[in-house]
Amino acid sequence: MNGKKMLAEAARTTGRGLALSVIALAGSITLFVLSVLSITFVLLGIGFFSTPYVLTAVRAHANRRRLLAATWSDVRIPVPYRPMPADLRTGVTGHVERTTLMLKDPATWRDLTWLLVDMTAGATIALFTVGLFIYPLDGLVLAAGLWQVFEDKAFWYGFVPVDSQLTGLLAAALGAAIAAFGLRYGGDIQRGHFLLAKSLLAPTQDQELAQRVAHLTETRHDAVDTSAAELRRIERDLHDGAQARLVAMGMDLGTIEALIEKNPAKAKELIANARQSSAEALTELRDLVRGIHPPVLAERGLGDAVKALALRLPVETDVQVDLRGRADAPVESAAYFAVSEILTNAIKHSNADRIWIDMVHSDSMLRVAIGDNGEGGAKIGSGTGLSGLERRLGTFDGILAVSSPEGGPTMVTVEIPCELS
């Protein structure tokens, strides 16, 4: 690690540690005090109005820490809160019901315990990472001559009594050792802050089991609904397309049979129409089969199928694939149609002139990132195609993440746990 990287690493760890200590002290202490007061005031009735707002702020504070844990130290802390009913009443009754539901949620009390730990042990760990890089500066300053100010009595730097130039150099050496320790272990110590938070903010085993059951129930319903919708689509396409053409062709053949001797020229014309109808019906059947499971996906795998899909797009598309094997057929199919739907949305709504696709498998996870340089504004919300796609991916324990600020660019990431063979 060169000097610039060392300084950048030290500055990053120090800045993050300082930010965490301020958030832990100011934010957690304030919210803990407000929470205790508000919950106590529930006995007087006033707390029914303040508690939902205070506990919502606590959850936002905890979720902010979850975000920092993931982005700064790659520590994933699941969200354990029970969902609020969509039909909560308003007014006094609504406040009472909301307060009751939040206080019955075990995650609320774990949040309050975390606030207490965060303002003490959490803040101490954060400040320690700051001290690993600030304290060595004192050793350098002492070695530079500041020790002379304390010439009448020894100034202790760590375990070194500084009362001469030699001991000042020893202090500088100790500071350098502390700084080296911070460079090597500062990130791990900061990660310990987030692991401490995870031990309290993550759901318990019972909560994880309940969430898992709820998730499986929801995704099972989504899978059934998706399958039913797909069957209806196939039936509709067959009825409106290939079936109608085959019926028309059968009628033409009946007419040809009646005209073959009386009017050969007209019969010849109808034969040409029947041939064209048969070709069009065959094309529609092939398109329908491709929509169910593209032949290129079955024959050549997900990577080549996506490349073939990109070739048909009307905008420049760059595809990068790093797959050392093939996933199970249902996973490949889900990933393919997810990519297809995302690309369709990009073409229809983004006004992009360039799209890029990056597909890789690592750590037992298939990751597909689809980006474009369009106008942005895509989001997962009620009634959008991305919401339906997110639910369908949930059947495979997959996730969908969207980053699409107004003005672009847009990046959509699909992750599906799987193994390659």
Side-chain angles (χ1 to χ4, degrees):
M1 186 181 294
N2 58 39
K4 288 185 178 179
K5 287 185 177 179
M6 290 175 63
L7 289 175
E9 182 67 23
R12 180 166 55 249
T13 304
T14 303
R16 290 175 175 178
L18 186 60
L20 286 173
S21 60
V22 171
I23 294 172
L25 289 171
S28 295
I29 290 175
T30 302
L31 289 171
F32 182 78
V33 172
L34 289 176
S35 299
V36 171
L37 291 175
S38 184
I39 293 173
T40 302
F41 288 155
V42 167
L43 300 175
L44 303 176
I46 303 174
F48 285 114
F49 296 93
S50 60
T51 299
Y53 298 104
V54 173
L55 293 183
T56 298
V58 170
R59 293 184 176 188
H61 181 60
N63 286 336
R64 177 64 179 172
R65 195 63 55 88
R66 289 184 174 93
L67 177 62
L68 295 180
T71 55
W72 287 359
S73 295
D74 198 27
V75 175
R76 309 291 173 175
I77 307 177
V79 177
Y81 308 118
R82 293 174 180 173
M84 284 287 181
D87 57 347
L88 273 178
R89 289 166 287 187
T90 58
V92 176
T93 305
H95 281 287
V96 172
E97 188 176 356
R98 189 175 288 107
T99 299
T100 303
L101 290 173
M102 296 182 85
L103 291 180
K104 285 183 177 180
D105 190 345
T108 297
W109 301 101
R110 291 174 63 82
D111 280 355
L112 297 180
T113 304
W114 167 72
L115 290 177
L116 189 60
V117 173
D118 190 51
M119 71 176 75
T120 51
T124 301
I125 295 173
L127 286 171
F128 184 68
T129 60
V130 176
L132 287 174
F133 299 103
I134 299 298
Y135 192 55
L137 298 178
D138 291 345
L140 294 177
V141 172
L142 288 170
L146 186 64
W147 65 270
Q148 298 178 26
V149 177
F150 309 99
E151 193 171 3
D152 294 338
K153 59 179 181 178
F155 176 85
W156 287 86
Y157 179 79
F159 55 83
V160 177
V162 182
D163 55 6
S164 66
Q165 186 61 45
L166 178 60
T167 54
L169 292 174
L170 289 175
L174 177 59
I178 294 173
F181 178 84
L183 286 172
R184 176 62 182 85
Y185 297 105
D188 294 332
I189 295 173
Q190 204 164 81
R191 180 181 173 85
H193 170 94
F194 294 118
L195 291 175
L196 177 64
K198 182 178 182 178
S199 67
L200 294 169
L201 292 179
T204 62
Q205 188 173 5
D206 290 342
Q207 289 175 316
E208 286 184 342
L209 181 60
Q211 287 181 334
R212 181 65 176 161
V213 170
H215 177 71
L216 289 174
T217 301
E218 181 181 359
T219 55
R220 183 190 64 188
H221 291 160
D222 289 336
V224 172
D225 292 342
T226 301
S227 298
E230 187 67 12
L231 286 174
R232 288 194 298 270
R233 181 188 70 82
I234 294 171
E235 182 181 14
R236 183 180 63 251
D237 290 347
L238 284 173
H239 182 272
D240 296 341
Q243 179 179 323
R245 294 190 183 281
L246 291 173
V247 170
M249 187 172 65
M251 295 175 63
D252 287 343
L253 290 174
T255 305
I256 291 169
E257 186 178 9
L259 294 176
I260 192 71
E261 295 180 355
K262 299 178 181 179
N263 192 346
K266 183 65 175 177
K268 185 176 181 180
E269 179 182 345
L270 291 176
I271 290 173
N273 291 337
R275 185 188 301 113
Q276 182 179 356
S277 295
S278 67
E280 291 175 351
L282 182 60
T283 299
E284 289 179 356
L285 286 172
R286 285 173 175 169
D287 290 340
L288 183 62
V289 171
R290 188 178 294 111
I292 299 171
H293 194 77
V296 67
L297 180 62
E299 296 168 4
R300 302 179 59 183
L302 180 60
D304 287 340
V306 171
K307 289 178 180 178
L309 186 65
L311 289 175
R312 298 199 297 268
L313 297 180
V315 301
E316 178 186 353
T317 305
D318 178 42
V319 182
Q320 300 291 331
V321 177
D322 184 14
L323 300 179
R324 296 176 176 81
R326 295 192 58 173
D328 292 339
V331 173
E332 284 192 334
S333 182
Y336 175 84
F337 286 110
V339 172
S340 177
E341 185 165 340
I342 293 169
L343 291 176
T344 300
N345 288 340
I347 297 299
K348 285 183 177 179
H349 307 297
S350 70
N351 291 325
D353 57 18
R354 182 171 176 268
I355 296 175
W356 54 93
I357 304 170
D358 186 16
M359 186 180 305
V360 65
H361 182 273
S362 63
D363 300 327
S364 300
M365 187 72 70
L366 174 65
R367 294 180 177 88
V368 186
I370 303 102
D372 66 65
N373 63 349
E375 299 174 351
K379 60 182 179 179
I380 300 175
S382 179
T384 66
L386 290 177
S387 297
L389 179 58
E390 182 183 39
R391 291 194 300 271
R392 291 196 296 275
L393 289 173
T395 307
F396 299 88
D397 284 339
I399 61 173
L400 178 73
V402 179
S403 173
S404 183
E406 292 294 338
T410 294
M411 178 64 72
V412 181
T413 304
V414 174
E415 292 189 354
I416 305 176
C418 67
E419 297 292 344
L420 300 187
S421 60

